[in-house]
Amino acid sequence: MFEKRYLGSRFTASLMLVAAIAITAVSGLSYMKMREPGPDIDRVVPHAGFEHKRLSDWFEGLAGTPADTDIYVQEGAEPGGTVLILGGTHANEPAGVIAAVVMLEQADVKRGRLMIAPYANPMARTHTFPQDAHPQTFSFRTPNGVTRAFRYGARITNPVNEWPNPDIYIHPESGQTMAGIERSNLNRAHPGVADGGATERLAYGFMELIKQEKVDLAIDLHEASPEYPVVDALVAHERAMELAAMVTMELEFEGVPIRLEPSPKNLRGLNHREWGDNADVLAVLLETCNASAGRFRGRTDEALILTGEDKAYEKAAGLGRLYVPWESFDKRFEERVARHVTTVRLLADNLEFVREGKGVTVEGLPAYQELSDLGVGAFLSD
Amino acid sequence: MILTWIYWAICLFMVILVLRSLYREKSLREQWVAAMVLVPLLLRVLMIK
């Protein structure tokens, strides 16, 4: 609009420069707040009995690095197996994160041992992806009116912690080639490399934990875009398939439809493949439907995260481009968290049937309908 | 280390060129574009991540 009116002068040049620096400073400070968001953001209130540890307790190479993350361990009175739960492998899949937090705050372990990593990749929580316009936080209210806020992060490790990525990432264990950005994706970095990049070292830490603690069942909580084929699904390593099939049937009986997918043998670096291949663990991954990380989405705000409602996805559904029956589909955040929590509970309940003497009994977890009806805030502590 | 300094020198050279363009430009729109381009270059020269 100004192109044909040559009004520029030294004064306007200086003004423009000051304005550009001011805008950058304000947005930059807001962005950097993601790195140190304050004590009230991402706060967790573990249920009595949980012991707080760090992943570096299993792999010293992580100590003092941004890759080190919290691990909470609760052991029941009766001996049994060990279940490991990861939330936040991808920090832009919030129902997985919050399901892990709900279980951390509600689980009362009676038999066996429960280990929870609510923020599996802490380096993915300190940024949002450029041009995705995601809100930095989303929140819930507890029954006493306390606001519990959590960061909405990114799929990959913050470039501040790991940069630059190569054009092509060669998965160290298999030699499989992937897009360069996958080097910073925790769920392409398994089983990890002790002296590799930050994300590879983080993956190595989880592999060490699984091996040293002889984890029986490892569950990674994810979400997928509605245009992605693996939505509302349980992906299982072949040794976990029997357990996964049992749980799939039980979920159907409980009115929670779910797909059962075998872990592809030729897709390397994913936890359900590498954990299962490299340790005596039953490895599964769960997916719910998250429109806020989808490519078709329109307005991207907290409401989209929590309701899943989006006009662009409605249109895409009308054109038959989605893998979910959009109109009749329950996309609410509480349903997605309820789905994760229920699936984890059933996996733990049924573990005894495939590993004798390794059952894990967890009480206190909200039932599917209860969580879906009352909402997430009802199951978060003050 | 040498590569870092070569990179830094290129960035500084770019900053000088863009600054020159900013102050010589008579179009307000082009001045705004130059100012915006200048910010990441300045951050690189100042080695701010």
Side-chain angles (χ1 to χ4, degrees):
Chain A
M1 65 188 278
F2 295 115
E3 210 160 23
K4 290 186 179 170
R5 300 172 64 190
Y6 297 109
L7 301 172
S9 64
R10 281 170 181 264
F11 173 73
T12 57
S14 302
L15 201 67
M16 296 290 183
L17 188 54
V18 170
I21 289 172
I23 290 170
T24 310
V26 169
S27 53
L29 286 173
S30 163
Y31 191 71
M32 283 176 73
K33 210 177 168 195
M34 290 278 286
R35 297 190 207 168
E36 286 175 18
D40 286 336
I41 309 287
D42 284 353
R43 180 172 62 90
V44 294
V45 187
H47 189 275
F50 272 108
E51 188 185 351
H52 180 208
K53 291 178 175 269
R54 298 280 281 170
L55 192 55
S56 53
D57 292 339
W58 289 274
F59 172 45
E60 243 179 42
L62 294 174
T65 74
D68 202 3
T69 192
D70 295 322
I71 308 284
Y72 297 89
V73 185
Q74 188 184 160
E75 192 148 9
E78 280 183 63
T82 298
V83 173
L84 170 68
I85 298 167
L86 266 65
T89 287
H90 294 149
N92 62 338
E93 297 169 9
V97 177
I98 301 303
V101 172
V102 165
M103 289 187 271
L104 177 61
E105 302 196 359
Q106 301 292 326
D108 184 10
V109 181
K110 298 296 180 189
R111 182 187 180 198
R113 190 164 51 152
L114 181 63
M115 307 177 92
I116 300 179
Y119 308 130
N121 185 356
M123 299 174 291
R125 302 188 68 71
T126 56
H127 69 137
T128 51
F129 207 72
Q131 300 179 20
D132 265 5
H134 283 123
Q136 294 181 343
T137 59
F138 57 100
S139 61
F140 308 93
R141 282 180 90 80
T142 69
N144 292 328
V146 174
T147 300
R148 295 284 306 276
F150 299 87
R151 278 180 289 184
Y152 189 103
R155 183 178 173 83
I156 58 165
T157 293
N158 192 329
V160 168
N161 303 122
E162 187 166 59
W163 187 87
N165 279 326
D167 290 339
I168 305 282
Y169 174 52
I170 301 170
H171 181 245
E173 174 108 337
S174 65
Q176 186 172 81
T177 55
M178 309 178 201
I181 199 170
E182 301 291 13
R183 176 175 177 250
S184 295
N185 179 350
L186 177 57
N187 206 23
R188 297 295 182 278
H190 297 289
V193 183
D195 57 354
T199 313
E200 289 171 333
R201 277 182 279 144
L202 175 60
Y204 185 83
F206 279 111
M207 198 69 243
E208 283 299 296
L209 184 158
I210 289 168
K211 285 178 180 171
Q212 291 172 31
E213 297 300 325
K214 297 183 170 54
V215 172
D216 294 287
L217 170 64
I219 307 163
D220 195 15
L221 305 177
H222 283 252
E223 293 205 275
S225 311
E227 66 271 25
Y228 184 63
V230 187
V231 176
D232 280 359
L234 198 163
V235 187
H237 186 270
E238 51 271 20
R239 277 189 290 104
M241 195 49 88
E242 188 184 359
L243 173 65
M246 281 192 273
V247 169
T248 302
M249 284 189 283
E250 286 203 29
L251 283 166
E252 294 282 347
F253 291 144
E254 291 201 14
V256 187
I258 194 161
R259 296 162 65 135
L260 177 58
E261 302 274 346
S263 168
K265 284 189 177 175
N266 57 351
L267 199 51
R268 302 298 302 270
L270 288 104
N271 49 27
H272 45 80
R273 168 57 39 209
E274 305 299 341
W275 288 348
D277 282 358
N278 288 279
D280 182 27
V281 63
L282 305 178
V284 297
L285 178 148
L286 310 182
E287 298 272 16
T288 55
C289 177
N290 174 26
S292 70
R295 302 325 308 173
F296 294 168
R297 71 181 190 276
R299 183 176 177 152
T300 306
D301 54 11
E302 189 173 357
L304 176 61
I305 297 169
L306 299 179
T307 67
E309 295 294 344
D310 182 275
K311 284 181 184 172
Y313 271 107
E314 276 176 35
K315 191 171 181 183
L319 295 169
R321 301 295 186 202
L322 304 184
Y323 287 89
V324 288
W326 191 252
E327 279 180 19
S328 61
F329 192 67
D330 195 345
K331 309 168 276 285
R332 294 172 305 128
F333 198 86
E334 41 270 42
E335 194 281 337
R336 286 142 56 193
V337 173
R339 178 177 281 275
H340 274 327
V341 172
T342 305
T343 310
V344 169
R345 178 175 51 79
L346 290 174
L347 283 164
D349 284 351
N350 285 282
L351 183 59
E352 173 70 28
F353 298 120
V354 293
R355 289 205 167 179
E356 206 178 326
K358 297 291 183 182
V360 173
T361 307
V362 182
E363 292 184 355
L365 298 181
Y368 176 82
Q369 206 57 51
E370 193 183 12
L371 211 164
S372 182
D373 289 347
L374 298 177
V376 171
F379 300 96
L380 292 175
S381 305
D382 294 337
Chain B
M1 197 61 194
I2 291 172
L3 267 180
T4 303
W5 287 110
I6 292 172
Y7 176 76
W8 186 84
I10 292 169
C11 286
L12 184 64
F13 181 60
M14 293 292 291
V15 163
I16 293 166
L17 288 182
V18 177
L19 260 176
R20 184 169 168 265
S21 169
L22 172 67
Y23 280 95
R24 284 188 166 191
E25 188 53 62
K26 295 297 173 200
S27 158
L28 283 179
R29 198 181 85 162
E30 295 303 323
Q31 280 190 336
W32 177 242
V33 170
M36 291 300 285
V37 169
L38 203 53
V39 172
L41 288 170
L42 280 172
L43 288 171
R44 275 159 179 72
V45 167
L46 297 171
M47 293 192 169
I48 297 172
K49 243 185 177 179

